[in-house]
Amino acid sequence: MAVRRVVTAVPRATRAYASLAEDPSIPAPEFSAPAWESVQTTKLSNGVTVVSEDALSPVSSVSVVVGAGSSRETVGGTSALMRAMAFKASKSTTEFRRIRECELKGISLSGAGDRETLSYTATFLRDDTSYAVGMLGDAAVDQAFNSWDVKDTKAFLASVGEEVSSTDYVIDAVHAGAFRSGGHGNSLYVDNFRLPALTSETLSEFASKTFTADAITVVGTDVGHAELVALADEAFGGLATVDAAAPAAKYVGGFETRIPAALGSTKYALGFEGAGRGSSDVATAAVLEKVLFGNGLASIPYGAGNGTNKVTQAVVSAAGSADIESFNFNYNGTGLIGAVVSFGAGSAASTVAGFTSAVKAVLSGGITDGDIARAKAQASAAALEMTSAERAAFYASAATAVSPEAFAASIDAVTADQVKAFAAKVGGSKAVAVAAGDVDAVPYADQL
C-alpha cells in the first residue's frame, strides 16, 4: 500500500546514516517522504471519467471500470461470461499477441466484476503507461467476441468454473432475497444450464448497451494525472455517450431460504438494508459493520472469545469454533449490510440463536462508546489497507472520488448518535436469512 511505502522508507534511510550524523563535521542528511499527488478527477468531453493518484512509485496500475455488472443484464449469466472473457481477442489484436507483449513487459492483467461494474486492470512498470492504457482500451471496448473464444470460455466455465467460495454463494443468495429477481438480485455467477443461451450476439448486444462513455471510469494509481487524461482521451475519446441511467437498487427483504449442500460446515447469513452509494450514511455504515462484527473470527483463530465484540462473543460461546465474514455493499440507491457465520452442524441451533440475538441487541441500541471507538479504528484501518485494485473500485463507485485517507477521516468524524440512529434504521428493515450446508438443525427465522 502506498501509505506503507511512505512510512517505512524514512526510518530505513535514517538508520543507514546514523553513524555519519554523529560526526558534527558532516552535515546530517535531510529526508522527506515522497510528495503525494492528491486524488484528481477529470471528465472527458464524451463523459468518460478519469481518476488518478500518484505516490511516485515505479510500479503503476490502471483499471478501466465499466458500469456493466450483473444488475444490467437481461440474460442471466451475461456479466459473468463477460468477466471470464476479459482480455480475449479484440477486433485488432489476438489474445496470443496481447499475452506475449504483456509478458515481455512484465505486465500483469486481471479482470473482475460485481453487481454494478466490470473492471479490466493492468499493473506495470511506470515507463509502460502509454502501452498499458492503450492495451486496456483495446481489450475493454473493442472486444471481438469471436464464436470460438465464446465456445472455449463457456466450456471452461462448465467444466472448471470460477473459484467461488461457499460463503460467496451464500452472500449471492442474500442478494437475491434482498433485491429479488432482476437488477441487483441477479446472481454474480452463471449456472451451467444458462450457458447455451449465451452467444457472441448476446455479449455484443450487452456491450453495445453498457460499454458507453458515460459508464466508463479510468482509474490510475501511481500515474501522472495529465498523462493519464491524455492517454484515456486517445483510447476512449471516440466512444459514444448514451447517458442511460444505471439501475437503482431497491431493497425488499423479508426473505428466508435454506440450501441443503455438502459444504463441510453449516452457514447462516443475516442481511439488512444498508447505505446507498453517495448517501450521508456511507461512513456510518462502515463503522456499524465493525460495531456488529468487528474483523470477524477467521483472522483470530485463537482467543477470539476474549474480544469485546458482542456478536463474536455470542458465536464463540455457542459454537466454540466458528468463522464470521461480514459484508457492507454500497450500491446505487441503497445498500446491503450483514454477515455470514460458519460453524459445525452440531451447534446449529445454539449458534444461530446466539448470533441472531446478539445482532438484534446491537441494532436495538446496545452500543457503547467503547464499541464505537474500536469500530472506528477497525474501519479506518480497512480503508487504508486497500490494494490498488480495491482503490480503483472505490474511486469508481464513489459519488465523488475521495482518497481512502479522506474516507478514513470521515469515518473518524462519525458520532455515536449517528451510529445508533443508523443502527435503528438498519434494524427496522426487513431481514434476509439464508442457511446453507447441513440445515436440518438450523432453526427457521420465525422460531428465533
Side-chain angles (χ1 to χ4, degrees), residues 213-303:
D214 47 295
I216 290 177
T217 302
V218 180
V219 183
T221 55
D222 298 309
V223 177
H225 188 69
E227 179 184 16
L228 184 60
V229 169
L231 292 172
D233 192 37
E234 182 178 343
F236 303 98
L239 288 177
T241 302
V242 175
D243 278 332
K250 296 179 181 179
Y251 187 88
V252 180
F255 180 87
E256 179 180 12
T257 189
R258 301 161 76 86
I259 309 169
L263 301 181
S265 66
T266 300
K267 297 180 182 293
Y268 190 80
L270 284 177
F272 303 86
E273 184 170 16
R277 181 174 70 246
S279 81
S280 59
D281 290 325
V282 170
T284 307
V287 175
L288 180 61
E289 178 191 10
K290 298 301 183 181
V291 168
L292 281 164
F293 312 112
N295 285 329
L297 291 174
S299 60
I300 313 175
Y302 303 105

Side-chain angles (χ1 to χ4, degrees), residues 327-345:
F327 51 84
N328 175 32
F329 300 101
N330 308 123
Y331 294 127
N332 177 35
T334 189
L336 181 64
I337 187 170
V340 181
V341 58
S342 306
F343 49 89

Side-chain angles (χ1 to χ4, degrees), residues 266 315-322 341-354 441-443:
T266 300
V315 170
V316 169
S317 177
S321 176
V341 58
S342 306
F343 49 89
S347 63
S350 58
T351 302
V352 171
V442 175

Side-chain angles (χ1 to χ4, degrees), residues 9 12 15 42 53 105 127 144 227 237 255 281 298 328 347 365-367 380 386 394 405 408 433 445:
R12 285 202 298 267
R15 286 197 297 270
T42 297
E53 65 173 1
K105 293 178 178 293
D127 290 344
E227 179 184 16
F255 180 87
D281 290 325
N328 175 32
S347 63
I367 303 172
S380 295
M386 290 185 193
F394 177 73
E405 292 75 18

Side-chain angles (χ1 to χ4, degrees), residues 343-414:
F343 49 89
S347 63
S350 58
T351 302
V352 171
F355 173 61
T356 304
S357 178
V359 169
K360 286 182 178 179
V362 173
L363 296 180
S364 297
I367 303 172
T368 67
D369 289 343
D371 292 333
I372 293 174
R374 168 188 55 76
K376 289 167 70 171
Q378 291 174 334
S380 295
L384 294 173
E385 289 175 349
M386 290 185 193
T387 64
S388 294
E390 290 170 337
R391 283 178 176 250
F394 177 73
Y395 294 141
S397 65
T400 302
V402 296
S403 68
E405 292 75 18
F407 183 57
S410 69
I411 287 171
D412 190 56
V414 171

